[in-house]
Amino acid sequence: MASPMRSLLTDLSRYVRCFHVFLAKSTEHQTMKQFVEQQLPGLLASTGSGKSAINILSVGGGAGEIDLQIISAVQASYPGVAINNEVIEPSADQILKYKERVAAASNLNNVKFTWHEETANEYESRMKSEKKSQKWDFIHMIQMLYYVKDIPAIIRFFHSLLDAQAKLLIILVSGGSLLYHPSHFSSSHLQHMMPNGCMSNFSSFVFRQRKLQIQLQGKG
């Protein structure tokens, strides 16, 4: 009898190789780049207003390609404002590539980077054990909810870290995709996971023709 299929999450280096194959065969990053350049600046219009520094938390930042595009969009909206960008990423190899990408960039003088080699759940456990209550102006969770056992709980935790007028961005493959959608949830499912009183600030942007779903939820 054949052995059951092994999860990619048991081997991070193998997962990264497979993910690069997925990127090469899809238009995922192009779609996200389109969203970041065309829609994200307007959606973050009030997030950093009047602030001397903007705090960004990247959950599952990978090698940083999309993260740096997001930072560029924030810089364009708030020229000269300091940015504190912290990254949660369990793969040491991805963090190394992220650091190399930052070192090669020329427009990040006002950005402070901090990397945490851990999963979203490990970050939550550490924050709770250390009794830390860091608030964030912008939190993004890009293509990472597939690897979380308790999705509603992790979304509620990160939502609780939002400062006033802050935004939580979630990007995932849409339910219509055959590439990979193990969670089988959509924007309607996501709305039911959100804490009470925040749904008036929930927006969904679905690029169904490219099998990518983007949700932005605010706290105001």
Side-chain angles (χ1 to χ4, degrees):
M1 181 177 178
S3 61
M5 185 177 293
R6 183 163 56 100
S7 170
L8 287 176
L9 301 184
T10 63
D11 185 341
L12 282 176
S13 62
R14 182 167 173 262
Y15 160 74
V16 170
R17 292 195 302 271
C18 292
F19 184 64
H20 286 163
V21 172
F22 165 73
L23 291 181
K25 300 294 184 181
S26 75
T27 58
E28 181 207 34
H29 275 194
Q30 296 96 308
T31 303
M32 283 191 282
K33 184 173 185 289
Q34 174 190 340
F35 172 80
V36 169
E37 291 178 347
Q38 298 178 9
Q39 300 196 54
L40 188 61
L43 296 168
L44 296 180
S46 62
T47 299
S49 297
K51 295 189 175 183
S52 58
I54 297 174
N55 295 315
I56 300 175
L57 181 62
S58 168
V59 186
E65 181 179 352
I66 300 300
D67 282 24
L68 295 193
Q69 292 174 12
I70 289 173
I71 288 171
S72 179
V74 174
Q75 287 176 316
S77 297
Y78 301 98
V81 175
I83 296 174
N84 171 39
N85 186 78
E86 294 201 18
V87 181
I88 302 168
E89 170 55 52
S91 169
D93 181 63
Q94 290 289 79
I95 289 177
L96 178 59
K97 287 182 171 62
Y98 197 135
K99 291 179 178 180
E100 291 173 346
R101 183 169 272 117
V102 168
S106 60
N107 60 339
L108 299 173
N109 293 332
N110 67 325
V111 185
K112 175 186 176 183
F113 288 89
T114 305
W115 289 269
H116 305 285
E117 188 181 329
E118 57 191 352
T119 65
N121 291 110
E122 289 168 345
Y123 177 86
E124 177 183 5
S125 297
R126 182 168 61 83
M127 291 298 101
K128 289 180 176 178
S129 66
E130 295 175 0
K131 294 180 169 55
K132 290 187 176 180
S133 57
Q134 169 78 46
K135 292 295 184 180
W136 302 92
D137 300 304
F138 183 42
I139 300 174
H140 54 86
M141 308 168 76
I142 299 175
Q143 300 288 44
M144 56 74 60
L145 284 180
Y146 318 107
Y147 317 114
V148 174
K149 289 184 179 180
D150 191 340
I151 294 173
I154 205 70
I155 290 177
R156 290 189 182 105
F157 168 71
F158 283 106
H159 179 272
S160 73
L161 303 184
L162 293 175
D163 206 348
Q165 303 301 319
K167 297 291 189 297
L168 170 63
L169 174 68
I170 297 172
I171 296 180
L172 65 160
V173 174
S174 76
S177 174
L178 297 178
L179 287 174
Y180 82 150
H181 55 111
S183 301
H184 293 281
F185 62 90
S186 63
S187 59
S188 61
H189 294 104
L190 199 58
Q191 293 180 47
H192 292 299
M193 297 177 187
M194 292 297 174
N196 292 332
C198 68
M199 290 322 303
S200 61
N201 295 320
F202 184 93
S203 299
S204 178
F205 305 87
V206 184
F207 294 82
R208 294 200 180 278
Q209 71 278 17
R210 296 190 180 177
K211 307 303 184 184
L212 194 69
Q213 186 162 290
I214 300 174
Q215 288 107 14
L216 186 81
Q217 194 277 316
K219 187 173 186 178

